[in-house]
Amino acid sequence: MKTFKIALLLLLSFSGFAQQFTVSSKISKVKATGLHNIALTPDFRCYADGNLAGIRIFDSNSKEVPYILSSPEKIRIESGFEKFPLLLKRIAADSVSQVFIENTSGTKWNEVTLVIANTDAVKTYSISGSNDNSEWFGLVNNQTLSGLYSHADTMVYKTLPLPVNTYRYLKIEFNDKTSLPLNITGAGRITGKPIAAALVEIPNAHVKVTEMLLEKRTRVTVTFNDPVIIDQIAFNITNPRLYNRNAALFVSRSHTVRKKTTTYLEQELAFTLNSANKNIISNLNLIENKVVIDIENKDNEPLEIASVKLYQMPVNLIANLTAGENYSVMAGNIQLHEPDYDLKDFKSQIPAVLPQATLSKPEPVNAKPKGINADKSPWIMWACIAAGALILFYFCYNLVRDMKSSEKTHT
């Protein structure tokens, strides 16, 4: 039995080793209790696995804190607001208030935005639709409306999702059993065309420009200390005034034959640099610590490149944090799957604007950071697993042998 306990202890120790995170960062500026937006910085993400599934938030008691990932591909310009007539507000019963709205545009709608006086109340609501303001049909039933409190404004804009419909009239009924009715001052639809979300510049890029005169090419090499996610590259070219050059982006690859490893450049993308364009290469979705860009000059003078900047799409965590509590964000555990928290079911009810909580400078957990594509070289992990299996087999074999010897002694 003693041998079995030793084997079990070794196996558990090995499992703990396999489940290590690679980076940790503290959360600061938690001054109020509630939902917060936590932006993941590029230097933090370079230690995490590419799909971000291995991220976990822990409080000071090592208790896991639920979160959802928010990676906006588009955001809306919320400067425009198309108002709909607010036909009627009334108290229908002791615990029910009603709001009637008319869709004067006559078009399909899949959401309605209410203008609500600042409050900390939480309501449940149902929505029905009608074409004649008489016969009503169900659309939304028993949903929760929260996040109505603002630190800065007297009014809060809340968008309620709807099944796509063409009803001329909407009736929204609120349950007022636990609090007084809401003060709804307007209704309508937020207008504006979608625009791309602001990207985050990747710091610590080492840019080297080499003129290859004999080959009539300019080579731009960008390197990082660790692999990073690259979504966009922007060129700032100052001279000549008019130019049109073919270019290609290469990434570093390697292959091994008979224990000999060869490194080579593989073309990932072909594009054009033109004085009439912004010279921004988007939608790259690369995970690299080195990219090489070759520009064909032909018989022209080389381009004067003032700067080359690389960007990545922002990724945020949304979590419910407590004021004064200390939190840590851990990442880089490639064996973890994406967590399944209840918070994801309330994503549509989360306010568009949340208090910001920031991450401190990331600290590697292991002596040697694994980087964002550590999962591409898992031989160390498998070697450890094999060693652990052999140790376990050895102790199990001895355990069985001892048991047989014990049985022979008793007989």
Side-chain angles (χ1 to χ4, degrees):
M1 182 61 68
K2 183 177 180 181
T3 306
F4 176 74
K5 288 181 178 179
I6 294 173
L8 182 62
L9 181 61
L10 286 170
L11 184 62
L12 291 174
S13 299
F14 167 74
S15 299
F17 170 79
Q19 292 292 327
Q20 281 186 341
F21 294 95
T22 60
V23 64
S24 175
S25 187
K26 304 292 184 183
I27 299 178
S28 59
K29 295 185 179 180
V30 183
K31 298 180 179 179
T33 299
L35 291 172
H36 285 71
N37 193 62
I38 309 156
L40 297 183
T41 58
D43 53 348
F44 179 90
R45 291 179 65 186
C46 81
Y47 290 96
D49 53 298
N51 61 12
L52 303 177
I55 293 178
R56 296 295 185 270
I57 303 176
F58 298 100
D59 63 13
S60 57
N61 296 317
S62 298
K63 182 179 179 182
E64 195 169 320
V65 178
Y67 71 87
I68 58 175
L69 277 172
S70 174
S71 182
E73 295 183 0
K74 299 286 185 179
I75 57 175
R76 274 190 307 195
I77 306 171
E78 299 192 350
S79 58
F81 187 70
E82 179 186 359
K83 288 186 177 181
F84 295 153
L86 200 60
L87 300 180
L88 180 65
K89 293 189 297 181
R90 70 182 183 187
I91 307 299
D94 291 339
S95 59
V96 177
S97 58
Q98 295 177 332
V99 175
F100 292 81
I101 304 165
E102 182 181 4
N103 176 13
T104 54
S105 66
T107 58
K108 294 179 181 179
W109 53 350
N110 61 357
E111 62 183 23
V112 61
T113 300
L114 302 180
V115 186
I116 305 172
N118 197 5
T119 176
D120 63 356
V122 176
K123 295 286 187 180
T124 57
Y125 68 92
S126 298
I127 304 177
S128 52
S130 173
N131 288 318
D132 57 8
N133 205 14
S134 176
E135 185 178 13
W136 296 93
F137 304 94
L139 288 171
V140 176
N141 185 51
N142 199 31
Q143 295 297 305
T144 302
L145 179 62
S146 59
L148 304 178
Y149 179 78
S150 171
H151 294 277
D153 299 319
T154 59
M155 294 295 171
V156 176
Y157 288 76
K158 289 297 294 185
T159 299
L160 310 184
L162 301 167
V164 179
N165 69 91
T166 56
Y167 291 122
R168 184 174 180 84
Y169 302 98
L170 286 185
K171 177 173 63 177
I172 307 177
E173 295 184 300
F174 295 96
N175 187 331
D176 297 328
K177 284 184 178 180
T178 58
S179 60
L180 293 173
L182 299 176
N183 181 13
I184 299 174
T185 62
R189 179 162 47 199
I190 295 173
T191 60
K193 295 181 180 179
I195 59 173
L199 273 66
V200 180
E201 183 177 353
I202 307 172
N204 304 320
H206 309 287
V207 181
K208 180 181 179 181
V209 179
T210 305
E211 300 299 341
M212 307 171 72
L213 298 178
L214 294 179
E215 300 178 28
K216 299 181 180 181
R217 284 187 294 153
T218 299
R219 171 163 290 183
V220 180
T221 305
V222 185
T223 57
F224 296 90
N225 294 332
D226 296 284
V228 297
I229 295 175
I230 304 169
D231 291 314
Q232 185 182 96
I233 301 177
F235 297 84
N236 180 12
I237 299 171
T238 56
N239 198 55
R241 188 173 65 86
L242 299 175
Y243 58 87
N244 182 50
R245 309 287 170 90
N246 292 326
L249 184 146
F250 298 86
V251 292
S252 182
R253 293 290 180 262
S254 62
H255 68 273
T256 302
V257 178
R258 296 180 181 179
K259 297 183 180 181
K260 182 179 180 180
T261 301
T262 304
T263 302
Y264 62 97
L265 292 177
E266 180 178 86
Q267 182 172 323
E268 183 74 21
L269 178 71
F271 58 96
T272 301
L273 295 174
N274 190 290
S275 54
N277 300 328
K278 293 182 178 180
N279 294 320
I280 295 175
I281 315 303
S282 302
N283 302 317
L284 293 176
N285 194 26
L286 299 174
I287 304 176
E288 306 290 339
N289 62 357
K290 176 182 177 180
V291 294
V292 175
I293 300 145
D294 279 357
I295 305 169
E296 295 182 9
N297 295 322
K298 297 182 180 178
D299 294 324
N300 303 290
E301 62 177 317
L303 300 176
E304 291 185 10
I305 302 174
S307 66
V308 179
K309 295 184 178 181
L310 287 75
Y311 299 86
Q312 61 184 213
M313 288 292 297
V315 174
N316 303 323
L317 305 180
I318 297 177
N320 192 29
L321 306 179
T322 301
E325 177 63 272
N326 296 317
Y327 296 94
S328 295
V329 181
M330 312 285 286
N333 190 332
I334 62 175
Q335 294 188 350
L336 289 180
H337 298 288
E338 182 178 355
D340 188 4
Y341 301 124
D342 292 339
L343 188 60
K344 72 179 187 305
D345 298 324
F346 301 92
K347 190 172 183 178
S348 63
Q349 302 173 27
I350 295 176
V353 179
L354 292 172
Q356 294 288 329
T358 58
L359 289 180
S360 63
K361 182 178 178 59
E363 299 179 358
V365 175
N366 296 334
K368 182 179 180 181
K370 292 190 297 184
I372 205 163
N373 6 342
D375 53 338
K376 295 181 180 178
S377 302
W379 66 270
I380 295 178
M381 180 186 71
W382 287 112
C384 293
I385 291 175
L390 289 173
I391 293 172
L392 183 60
F393 174 79
Y394 172 77
F395 282 110
C396 289
Y397 172 78
N398 286 335
L399 177 63
V400 172
R401 188 179 64 178
D402 292 343
M403 290 174 64
K404 288 182 178 180
S405 298
S406 178
E407 289 176 358
K408 289 181 180 180
T409 301
H410 287 297
T411 55

